[in-house]
Amino acid sequence: MKTTTNTSSPHSTTLPDFQHSVRLKYVKLGYHYLMTHFFTLCLPPFLAFTFIQLSQFDFHHLYLHLKYNLATVVVFSAALVFGLTLYFMTRPRAVYLVDYACYRPPDHLRVDFHKFMHHSRLTGDFDDSSLEFQRKILERSGLGEETYLPEPLHQIPPQPSMAKAREEAEQVMFGALENLFKATGVKPKDIGVLVVNCSLFNPTPSLSAMIINKYKLRGNIKSFNLGGMGCSAGVIAIDLAKDMLQLHRNTYAVVVSTENITENWYFGNKKSMLIPNCLFRMGGSAVLLSNRASDRRRSKYKMMHVVRTHIGSEDTAFRCVHQEEDERGKTGVSLSKDLMAIAGNALKTNITTLGPLVLPVSEQLLFFVTLVARKLINPKIKPYIPDFKLAFDHFCIHAGGRAVINELEKNLRLEPIHVEASRMTLHRFGNTSSSSIWYELAYTEAKGRIRKGQRVWQIAFGSGFKCNSAVWQALRNVKPSANSPWLDCIDRYPVKIVH
């Protein structure tokens, strides 16, 4: 009698077609797990082998040898002590992020789209074409209706001046610092290093001097004022503070990042110079760093890496974000049409340096094998793009604009949740320049997503042209600070943004 097998039966012994049922991403995750835990998996057999070898070793013979070769023992011990002393004296000091604060302006400084366009029309500085251009940029920008502009730009006509610009700087910097000192309990006199960055407003005395005068900081403080370095200057300031903390023991460093809107509003009709008016908004941050071992327990994060990339040797990159005067003598910042392509090149250079520091061995091997295959076998082989989601748990991409966030999401193959903090920061606060990455981190904290051991990647772009990255590791399950700018509105987010 002829028998047949019913493959649809629940008791069938036929195996499924794995080639079509197993997804490649799960195979890749298994490979990643194997490579990541390779040494852990090899540890038990290695320990067993070592134990067997030691059980057969003649320790009595070794004792007799050392007993009659005292000089060898002394020299070896001295070399060991010297080496350990040298290591502990020269090893990099750990740098901890104790806490940070982001400034949230008062509600009366909010500017919605209608108010923005109405005031722009009433100033009389913009023609119909420029007004229509600004309206379209606003609608596509990703900004919401609750961003902030300084007081002088709410007046009709606007009244920017040096005095008003100083008032804005004081309002933002002192507001962030007051929240920081209140949250940490650190006294201003304990601060040993101060770094301030503001790209377009650099008065005399400097912004750092204004802070020293306000809080009566000590006379031997190491203070720095960074100007003209664009939206990535916040990471540069962090890097400078880190270097100073390597030189000076047991101290605190404060990094203040802001941008001044009052004196840098453009009142002309050149399209490339009108874009910053539509994107940049009022904001700032203050960050407290420490190299004290005793601060580890109360700190939020530990600094892992800072990688800085500068491609300013290329003329097109140097001029793609350029402060200049238009044909009518009006000063503003011009943004080149090549900006996104240049940012892409800077990003590629930056992650090429960052990758070996953060990517798991599995990703580095895949990248290396693909590179060799392209060089030796077939140049048409598709290059392998490392999966940075295996290296980082959270992403703080500079909220420079909707296009910037979209391009990084696509090129780094990120999921919508990975760029949520950037999109929501752009929507709620606009482009606050170098401080935007801290509003994004505050958003992620307010959502309760950061767990002990997870890594955060902050990445920012700036004029010059620069791409800078900072990597932090959470030391605990991080809760939002008491003065988080998101506390009373986090439940409304994320919102759906219509492109």
Side-chain angles (χ1 to χ4, degrees):
M1 180 183 290
K2 191 175 184 179
T3 59
T4 59
T5 303
N6 183 4
T7 57
S8 63
S9 169
H11 302 290
S12 172
T13 58
T14 304
L15 292 175
D17 186 352
F18 283 96
Q19 186 175 359
H20 295 90
S21 63
V22 178
R23 296 184 181 181
L24 181 60
K25 69 175 183 178
Y26 296 123
V27 176
K28 184 179 176 183
L29 286 173
Y31 169 70
H32 164 65
Y33 182 87
L34 174 64
M35 296 306 300
T36 302
H37 298 86
F38 179 77
F39 291 107
T40 303
L41 296 172
C42 291
L43 186 60
F46 174 76
L47 291 177
F49 175 78
T50 303
F51 177 77
I52 293 172
Q53 293 298 314
L54 288 176
S55 65
Q56 299 173 356
F57 189 77
D58 190 351
F59 286 98
H60 180 69
H61 177 73
L62 177 63
Y63 169 74
L64 294 176
H65 177 74
L66 295 177
K67 181 178 180 180
Y68 295 106
N69 291 274
L70 185 60
T72 303
V73 175
V74 172
V75 171
F76 176 79
S77 301
L80 180 63
V81 171
F82 176 78
L84 290 174
T85 302
L86 187 65
Y87 168 75
F88 284 108
M89 290 183 64
T90 59
R91 66 173 179 170
R93 295 185 178 92
V95 175
Y96 303 108
L97 194 164
V98 180
D99 207 344
Y100 65 96
C102 298
Y103 176 68
R104 177 169 163 175
D107 290 346
H108 73 272
L109 295 182
R110 287 182 180 177
V111 53
D112 57 33
F113 289 180
H114 174 75
K115 185 176 183 180
F116 181 97
M117 293 305 304
H118 181 63
H119 280 210
S120 296
R121 189 174 290 106
L122 290 178
T123 63
D125 293 298
F126 307 108
D127 58 30
D128 291 341
S129 175
S130 295
L131 289 170
E132 179 62 15
F133 178 77
Q134 291 183 81
R135 185 189 65 79
K136 290 181 178 179
I137 292 294
L138 276 176
E139 290 178 351
R140 303 170 186 171
S141 65
L143 272 70
E145 302 279 353
E146 298 178 297
T147 59
Y148 305 90
L149 286 175
E151 187 71 47
L153 297 181
H154 286 263
Q155 299 170 347
I156 301 296
Q159 299 180 4
S161 65
M162 173 69 78
K164 294 294 184 181
R166 283 183 183 274
E167 289 179 9
E168 180 195 345
E170 291 176 351
Q171 181 182 0
V172 174
M173 295 191 305
F174 299 164
L177 285 168
E178 291 291 345
N179 289 338
L180 181 68
F181 292 141
K182 182 179 179 180
T184 61
V186 171
K187 298 178 181 178
K189 287 286 186 181
D190 294 332
I191 305 302
V193 178
L194 173 65
V195 185
V196 181
N197 70 272
C198 182
S199 190
L200 294 174
F201 181 60
N202 295 284
T204 301
S206 66
L207 299 179
S208 58
M210 291 164 59
I211 294 174
I212 291 172
N213 177 259
K214 166 70 175 179
Y215 293 99
K216 311 304 177 188
L217 303 185
R218 62 197 201 197
N220 64 344
I221 190 171
K222 306 297 184 289
S223 64
F224 303 87
N225 203 98
L226 306 181
M229 305 191 82
C231 299
S232 67
V235 178
I236 297 173
I238 289 289
D239 191 37
L240 176 56
K242 177 202 71 175
D243 290 343
M244 295 304 297
L245 289 175
Q246 297 303 313
L247 298 175
H248 303 280
R249 295 176 177 272
N250 298 319
T251 191
Y252 291 108
V254 167
V255 176
V256 178
S257 300
T258 187
E259 191 52 83
N260 194 278
I261 308 296
T262 299
E263 275 216 322
N264 296 289
W265 200 255
Y266 176 60
F267 294 98
N269 291 294
K270 188 174 180 179
K271 301 290 194 298
S272 63
M273 300 170 74
L274 283 169
I275 298 175
N277 283 12
C278 302
L279 297 179
F280 283 87
R281 293 295 183 264
M282 187 179 182
S285 63
V287 181
L288 180 66
L289 302 175
S290 173
N291 59 9
R292 301 181 181 188
S294 58
D295 282 322
R296 177 186 173 92
R297 180 174 297 180
R298 70 178 185 131
S299 296
K300 287 185 172 182
Y301 305 94
K302 178 182 178 181
M303 181 185 294
M304 303 302 293
H305 307 286
V306 176
V307 175
R308 294 165 53 183
T309 300
H310 204 309
I311 59 172
S313 58
E314 303 171 12
D315 290 342
T316 53
F318 174 74
R319 297 190 62 85
C320 72
V321 181
H322 201 260
Q323 188 178 26
E324 58 191 27
E325 294 179 333
D326 65 11
E327 60 277 1
R328 294 170 53 199
K330 301 288 186 179
T331 302
V333 176
S334 176
L335 303 182
S336 167
K337 294 180 179 179
D338 300 324
L339 177 59
M340 292 310 303
I342 292 167
N345 290 334
L347 173 65
K348 182 171 64 175
T349 304
N350 187 267
I351 64 177
T352 300
T353 305
L354 180 66
L357 300 174
V358 298
L359 286 170
V361 177
S362 58
E363 288 298 291
Q364 297 192 45
L365 281 177
L366 286 172
F367 177 79
F368 177 75
V369 169
T370 306
L371 180 64
V372 172
R374 281 169 54 84
K375 293 289 184 182
L376 302 180
I377 302 174
N378 184 2
K380 295 183 179 180
I381 295 177
K382 188 177 180 180
Y384 179 73
I385 306 299
D387 187 356
F388 280 90
K389 297 189 294 294
L390 297 175
F392 303 111
D393 303 283
H394 306 283
F395 297 79
C396 296
I397 299 168
H398 166 55
R402 181 175 60 86
V404 174
I405 300 171
N406 287 346
E407 283 300 309
L408 265 72
E409 180 184 15
K410 181 178 71 175
N411 292 333
L412 294 176
R413 298 184 299 176
L414 303 179
E415 302 294 335
I417 193 170
H418 295 130
V419 295
E420 181 184 308
S422 300
R423 292 195 193 283
M424 297 307 106
T425 294
L426 182 65
H427 181 272
R428 178 64 182 84
F429 295 99
N431 182 351
T432 59
S433 189
S434 55
S435 65
S436 69
I437 55 177
W438 298 105
Y439 286 87
E440 293 162 16
L441 186 58
Y443 176 90
T444 309
E445 290 180 1
K447 283 293 184 181
R449 295 174 180 170
I450 298 183
R451 297 289 180 264
K452 182 178 180 179
Q454 292 185 335
R455 291 199 287 184
V456 180
W457 183 15
Q458 293 179 319
I459 184 167
F461 301 91
S463 59
F465 191 84
K466 300 177 286 292
C467 176
N468 299 322
S469 295
V471 179
W472 306 89
Q473 184 173 45
L475 297 175
R476 51 187 166 91
N477 295 344
V478 180
K479 297 180 180 179
S481 300
N483 295 300
S484 170
W486 294 95
L487 280 187
D488 67 342
C489 62
I490 193 63
D491 292 337
R492 293 192 281 120
Y493 286 91
V495 298
K496 184 177 181 180
I497 299 176
V498 180
H499 299 301

